[in-house]
Amino acid sequence: DYYLFALKEDPEQKDAVPEAPADSVPHLGAIPAAARSDTQTRSSVSDAVMACDDLVELALLLSDVTEFVDIEEVHLCFRRQSEISNIESGMPTLRKFIRPFDWERIERMFDIVTNLPAEDQRRRCHFQRPTLFRVPGESRSYLRARSTSLRLADEQIVPGRPSHFWMHLTQFDSSQIQRPREQELEGIEEER
């Protein structure tokens, strides 16, 4: 069985989030003992709630194939809240997640896709080499996708308006690629 679970920001609740009623929290006895002990070892008092101003919707495709309710798909919807284009803003950008050495070839692929003849604009363009995609929250860890494709999401390119693209990364290697730990020197920062 599959369930679609979606969360959307309620603008009226932005400042004060009400506490859940005590009787709405599931009793620990309802969770199997094996699941309780596993969860308790991974959770800690250091867990924190993070604010993400540009995140406006989160949708999850859930499956009850196990008692843990597997998350099979996640869709995140972001909307830029500020007109200022800043790499440090809360808005996720492709440049934040792609390995710097891959950026030039990604830009070339965007050029290829946007310059396809009108009858071919729905075609996917595939990258010939694997792409390294940064693991969110890990500044030096990447996943290696052996298959990456890019296609235009819009029906057609309209001059003067932003274009939208679908990028699909698949066939991930089972291991993460770790960059060697670099020595940090005072006063020297990585250029973004």
Side-chain angles (χ1 to χ4, degrees):
D1 293 334
Y2 294 96
Y3 302 93
L4 181 62
F5 178 68
L7 300 173
K8 189 167 184 172
E9 178 185 40
D10 181 356
E12 295 174 8
Q13 294 293 327
K14 202 157 183 116
D15 295 326
V17 177
E19 291 294 323
D23 60 348
S24 70
V25 179
H27 187 276
L28 204 54
I31 301 171
R36 273 198 319 265
S37 62
D38 187 43
T39 303
Q40 288 171 344
T41 58
R42 279 189 261 146
S43 182
S44 71
V45 292
S46 66
D47 290 346
V49 175
M50 188 176 86
C52 188
D53 293 337
D54 297 321
L55 178 64
V56 293
E57 188 173 355
L58 167 70
L60 306 170
L61 177 63
L62 307 171
S63 169
D64 65 356
V65 68
T66 69
E67 69 271 11
F68 302 111
V69 185
D70 295 348
I71 299 173
E72 294 188 351
E73 287 186 39
V74 177
H75 298 266
L76 302 169
C77 181
F78 293 89
R79 192 154 296 110
R80 185 173 289 282
Q81 302 298 323
S82 169
E83 294 301 317
I84 300 170
S85 181
N86 181 347
I87 194 81
E88 299 302 324
S89 74
M91 186 71 175
T93 64
L94 187 60
R95 188 144 196 150
K96 288 180 185 177
F97 289 100
I98 296 295
R99 182 176 69 155
F101 295 125
D102 289 339
W103 187 250
E104 189 176 310
R105 120 181 126 102
I106 299 270
E107 285 183 318
R108 280 194 311 266
M109 187 61 77
F110 277 104
D111 288 340
I112 291 169
V113 169
T114 54
N115 291 311
L116 285 172
E119 62 273 6
D120 289 337
Q121 284 186 348
R122 300 298 288 175
R123 191 182 76 193
R124 286 180 190 233
C125 292
H126 294 271
F127 290 73
Q128 293 179 349
R129 293 190 323 258
T131 303
L132 295 183
F133 191 81
R134 189 182 312 269
V135 176
E138 299 289 326
S139 65
R140 299 178 191 265
S141 286
Y142 292 84
L143 293 173
R144 183 173 183 257
R146 292 189 311 263
S147 175
T148 303
S149 66
L150 185 73
R151 73 174 173 86
L152 193 62
D154 302 321
E155 290 295 320
Q156 64 184 34
I157 295 175
V158 178
R161 291 188 57 204
S163 297
H164 295 88
F165 302 86
W166 283 111
M167 179 179 260
H168 293 264
L169 294 95
T170 58
Q171 299 176 6
F172 292 99
D173 284 342
S174 59
S175 62
Q176 294 179 358
I177 305 291
Q178 291 274 28
R179 282 183 26 195
R181 182 173 277 276
E182 297 172 7
Q183 202 174 26
E184 293 190 17
L185 301 174
E186 189 175 318
I188 298 177
E189 297 178 8
E190 181 179 337
E191 186 175 322
R192 295 178 187 205

Short mmCIF file of all heavy atoms in Angstrom, two decimals, residues 109-131:
data_model
loop_
_atom_site.label_atom_id
_atom_site.label_comp_id
_atom_site.label_asym_id
_atom_site.label_seq_id
_atom_site.Cartn_x
_atom_site.Cartn_y
_atom_site.Cartn_z
N MET A 109 26.03 21.64 -20.50
CA MET A 109 24.84 20.83 -20.74
C MET A 109 23.58 21.71 -20.77
O MET A 109 22.69 21.49 -21.58
CB MET A 109 24.71 19.73 -19.69
CG MET A 109 23.60 18.75 -19.98
SD MET A 109 23.79 17.85 -21.54
CE MET A 109 25.00 16.65 -21.08
N PHE A 110 23.51 22.71 -19.90
CA PHE A 110 22.38 23.65 -19.93
C PHE A 110 22.35 24.36 -21.28
O PHE A 110 21.28 24.54 -21.86
CB PHE A 110 22.47 24.68 -18.80
CG PHE A 110 21.92 24.17 -17.49
CD1 PHE A 110 22.77 23.79 -16.47
CD2 PHE A 110 20.56 24.08 -17.29
CE1 PHE A 110 22.27 23.32 -15.27
CE2 PHE A 110 20.05 23.61 -16.09
CZ PHE A 110 20.91 23.22 -15.08
N ASP A 111 23.50 24.77 -21.79
CA ASP A 111 23.56 25.42 -23.11
C ASP A 111 23.06 24.49 -24.20
O ASP A 111 22.31 24.90 -25.09
CB ASP A 111 25.00 25.86 -23.44
CG ASP A 111 25.44 27.06 -22.61
OD1 ASP A 111 24.56 27.77 -22.08
OD2 ASP A 111 26.67 27.27 -22.50
N ILE A 112 23.46 23.22 -24.15
CA ILE A 112 23.02 22.25 -25.16
C ILE A 112 21.50 22.10 -25.13
O ILE A 112 20.82 22.16 -26.15
CB ILE A 112 23.72 20.89 -24.96
CG1 ILE A 112 25.20 21.02 -25.30
CG2 ILE A 112 23.04 19.79 -25.79
CD1 ILE A 112 26.04 19.82 -24.89
N VAL A 113 20.94 21.93 -23.91
CA VAL A 113 19.50 21.71 -23.76
C VAL A 113 18.71 22.94 -24.23
O VAL A 113 17.70 22.81 -24.92
CB VAL A 113 19.15 21.34 -22.30
CG1 VAL A 113 17.66 21.38 -22.05
CG2 VAL A 113 19.70 19.97 -21.96
N THR A 114 19.17 24.13 -23.89
CA THR A 114 18.42 25.33 -24.26
C THR A 114 18.55 25.66 -25.75
O THR A 114 17.73 26.40 -26.28
CB THR A 114 18.86 26.57 -23.44
OG1 THR A 114 20.27 26.73 -23.57
CG2 THR A 114 18.47 26.41 -21.99
N ASN A 115 19.54 25.10 -26.43
CA ASN A 115 19.73 25.37 -27.85
C ASN A 115 19.28 24.22 -28.75
O ASN A 115 19.58 24.23 -29.95
CB ASN A 115 21.19 25.74 -28.13
CG ASN A 115 21.54 27.08 -27.53
OD1 ASN A 115 20.83 28.06 -27.72
ND2 ASN A 115 22.62 27.12 -26.78
N LEU A 116 18.58 23.25 -28.20
CA LEU A 116 18.05 22.17 -29.03
C LEU A 116 16.97 22.71 -29.96
O LEU A 116 16.25 23.65 -29.59
CB LEU A 116 17.42 21.07 -28.15
CG LEU A 116 18.37 20.13 -27.41
CD1 LEU A 116 17.57 19.25 -26.44
CD2 LEU A 116 19.15 19.26 -28.37
N PRO A 117 16.81 22.11 -31.15
CA PRO A 117 15.69 22.51 -32.01
C PRO A 117 14.36 22.29 -31.29
O PRO A 117 14.25 21.42 -30.42
CB PRO A 117 15.81 21.58 -33.22
CG PRO A 117 17.17 20.97 -33.15
CD PRO A 117 17.63 21.06 -31.73
N ALA A 118 13.35 23.07 -31.61
CA ALA A 118 12.05 23.03 -30.92
C ALA A 118 11.48 21.62 -30.84
O ALA A 118 10.92 21.23 -29.81
CB ALA A 118 11.06 23.96 -31.61
N GLU A 119 11.63 20.81 -31.90
CA GLU A 119 11.05 19.46 -31.89
C GLU A 119 11.80 18.51 -30.95
O GLU A 119 11.29 17.46 -30.58
CB GLU A 119 10.99 18.87 -33.31
CG GLU A 119 12.33 18.68 -33.98
CD GLU A 119 12.82 19.92 -34.74
OE1 GLU A 119 12.17 20.98 -34.66
OE2 GLU A 119 13.86 19.81 -35.40
N ASP A 120 13.01 18.86 -30.53
CA ASP A 120 13.81 17.99 -29.65
C ASP A 120 13.89 18.49 -28.22
O ASP A 120 14.58 17.90 -27.39
CB ASP A 120 15.24 17.86 -30.19
CG ASP A 120 15.31 17.04 -31.46
OD1 ASP A 120 14.39 16.23 -31.68
OD2 ASP A 120 16.28 17.21 -32.22
N GLN A 121 13.19 19.59 -27.87
CA GLN A 121 13.37 20.19 -26.56
C GLN A 121 12.87 19.32 -25.41
O GLN A 121 13.26 19.54 -24.28
CB GLN A 121 12.71 21.57 -26.51
CG GLN A 121 13.53 22.60 -27.23
CD GLN A 121 12.98 24.00 -27.07
OE1 GLN A 121 11.87 24.21 -26.59
NE2 GLN A 121 13.77 24.97 -27.46
N ARG A 122 12.04 18.34 -25.65
CA ARG A 122 11.58 17.44 -24.58
C ARG A 122 12.52 16.25 -24.41
O ARG A 122 12.33 15.43 -23.53
CB ARG A 122 10.16 16.94 -24.86
CG ARG A 122 9.12 18.05 -24.98
CD ARG A 122 8.95 18.85 -23.73
NE ARG A 122 8.28 18.09 -22.71
CZ ARG A 122 8.08 18.49 -21.49
NH1 ARG A 122 8.48 19.66 -21.12
NH2 ARG A 122 7.47 17.73 -20.62
N ARG A 123 13.55 16.17 -25.24
CA ARG A 123 14.50 15.06 -25.17
C ARG A 123 15.45 15.25 -23.99
O ARG A 123 15.86 16.36 -23.67
CB ARG A 123 15.30 15.02 -26.48
CG ARG A 123 16.12 13.78 -26.64
CD ARG A 123 16.91 13.82 -27.90
NE ARG A 123 18.04 14.73 -27.67
CZ ARG A 123 18.81 15.20 -28.61
NH1 ARG A 123 18.57 14.94 -29.86
NH2 ARG A 123 19.82 15.99 -28.31
N ARG A 124 15.84 14.15 -23.38
CA ARG A 124 16.82 14.19 -22.30
C ARG A 124 18.22 14.17 -22.88
O ARG A 124 18.49 13.44 -23.81
CB ARG A 124 16.69 12.97 -21.39
CG ARG A 124 15.51 13.01 -20.50
CD ARG A 124 15.48 11.76 -19.65
NE ARG A 124 14.23 11.69 -18.97
CZ ARG A 124 14.11 11.55 -17.67
NH1 ARG A 124 15.16 11.42 -16.92
NH2 ARG A 124 12.92 11.52 -17.11
N CYS A 125 19.08 14.96 -22.30
CA CYS A 125 20.50 14.94 -22.66
C CYS A 125 21.23 14.25 -21.52
O CYS A 125 21.02 14.59 -20.35
CB CYS A 125 21.02 16.35 -22.86
SG CYS A 125 20.31 17.14 -24.30
N HIS A 126 22.05 13.27 -21.85
CA HIS A 126 22.74 12.48 -20.82
C HIS A 126 24.20 12.89 -20.71
O HIS A 126 24.86 13.14 -21.71
CB HIS A 126 22.65 10.98 -21.15
CG HIS A 126 21.25 10.47 -21.08
ND1 HIS A 126 20.71 9.97 -19.93
CD2 HIS A 126 20.27 10.41 -22.01
CE1 HIS A 126 19.46 9.62 -20.15
NE2 HIS A 126 19.17 9.88 -21.41
N PHE A 127 24.69 12.93 -19.49
CA PHE A 127 26.09 13.22 -19.23
C PHE A 127 26.90 11.95 -19.52
O PHE A 127 26.45 10.85 -19.20
CB PHE A 127 26.29 13.63 -17.77
CG PHE A 127 25.70 14.97 -17.44
CD1 PHE A 127 24.33 15.15 -17.35
CD2 PHE A 127 26.52 16.06 -17.23
CE1 PHE A 127 23.80 16.38 -17.05
CE2 PHE A 127 25.99 17.30 -16.92
CZ PHE A 127 24.62 17.46 -16.82
N GLN A 128 28.07 12.11 -20.08
CA GLN A 128 28.88 10.95 -20.44
C GLN A 128 29.67 10.41 -19.27
O GLN A 128 30.03 9.24 -19.26
CB GLN A 128 29.82 11.31 -21.59
CG GLN A 128 29.08 11.58 -22.87
CD GLN A 128 30.02 11.96 -24.00
OE1 GLN A 128 31.20 12.20 -23.80
NE2 GLN A 128 29.47 11.98 -25.20
N ARG A 129 29.96 11.25 -18.29
CA ARG A 129 30.74 10.80 -17.12
C ARG A 129 29.88 10.91 -15.87
O ARG A 129 28.92 11.68 -15.83
CB ARG A 129 31.98 11.68 -16.97
CG ARG A 129 32.98 11.50 -18.09
CD ARG A 129 34.31 12.20 -17.79
NE ARG A 129 34.19 13.46 -17.09
CZ ARG A 129 34.30 14.65 -17.67
NH1 ARG A 129 34.50 14.76 -18.95
NH2 ARG A 129 34.20 15.74 -16.94
N PRO A 130 30.24 10.17 -14.82
CA PRO A 130 29.49 10.27 -13.56
C PRO A 130 29.52 11.69 -13.00
O PRO A 130 30.45 12.46 -13.26
CB PRO A 130 30.23 9.31 -12.63
CG PRO A 130 30.92 8.35 -13.53
CD PRO A 130 31.29 9.14 -14.75
N THR A 131 28.50 12.02 -12.22
CA THR A 131 28.38 13.32 -11.57
C THR A 131 28.48 13.11 -10.07
O THR A 131 27.89 12.18 -9.53
CB THR A 131 27.02 13.96 -11.92
OG1 THR A 131 26.90 14.04 -13.33
CG2 THR A 131 26.87 15.33 -11.31
#
